[in-house]
Amino acid sequence: MPTVVMVHGAFCGGWSFERFRGPFEARGWRVLTPDLRGHGVRAPASAVAGLSMADYARDLVQFCAGLPEPPVLVGHSLGGLVCQLAAREARAAAVVLLTPSPPWGVTGSSVEETLTAAAVGLLDPFWSGAVPPDRNVMRRHGLDRIHGPYCDEILARIGHESARALREVLNWWLDPFMTTAIGPGPLPVPTLAIAGERDAVHPPATVRRTAERIGAAYREMPQMSHWLVGEPGWEDVAALALDWLEDRPRAAA
């Protein structure tokens, strides 16, 4: 079976793909959803303290090296940037990015992104902290199209995130190490970037800039927001990704 490795976003774990993985498995894919280092429902808050995006990317490269064949990487939000960082070294067949965080040098396109970056810049301590999730913010933005028990389940499972990693993503211009730089030219594998039309976390204009930077195909999902892996319409996102993957020679042209 072909293999897909799904990489979750900030504050989450592999559990975030519990719905999204189903259509892949139904079409014969082997789906792996590892937790990034320090993440997962049982991880203590301190487990992510001091971790860098470079740590996440390095772990993903090593994870892929242990697989019998090059997998497809599917990354959501921050996990999308982890996939971009790993793509030049990992043994990967293709990459699908779901409303991905942009790499170094790609500026945001909205007031919300600017305000979020400013808020992250005020976090303390600067490098070594573990940031607790703001569930009210997540309800208003990342989970704005999800209501009822499913939303409560997500909020009950989210955990802390590395302050260092968040700064490397959202305040990249302050990072002297250019941690989230992905190198010159397009990514070396076929890549698809999918945006949600109503996403305030990573708006379509930002995702489009990311796609242009990395040489990816770009698609936009009408009426959808940030939680493309589980909000209403997620089945269409999965179908789009699968159709593109299973017709890669034409899709990459």
Side-chain angles (χ1 to χ4, degrees), residues 222-244:
Q223 303 302 313
M224 295 195 71
S225 185
H226 189 68
W227 196 256
L228 296 184
V229 296
E231 69 180 60
W234 69 266
E235 300 95 335
D236 295 332
V237 180
L240 171 62
L242 280 164
D243 290 345
W244 181 85

Side-chain angles (χ1 to χ4, degrees), residues 45-101:
S46 60
V48 295
L51 293 178
S52 167
M53 288 293 291
D55 295 317
Y56 298 158
R58 189 179 305 112
D59 290 348
L60 180 57
V61 170
Q62 293 176 352
F63 185 85
C64 292
L67 299 176
E69 64 177 5
V72 167
L73 301 180
V74 174
H76 175 235
S77 195
L78 179 142
L81 181 51
V82 174
C83 291
Q84 293 173 63
L85 293 170
R88 295 194 189 278
E89 296 184 46
R91 297 171 61 247
V95 175
V96 175
L97 306 172
L98 308 174
T99 188
S101 299

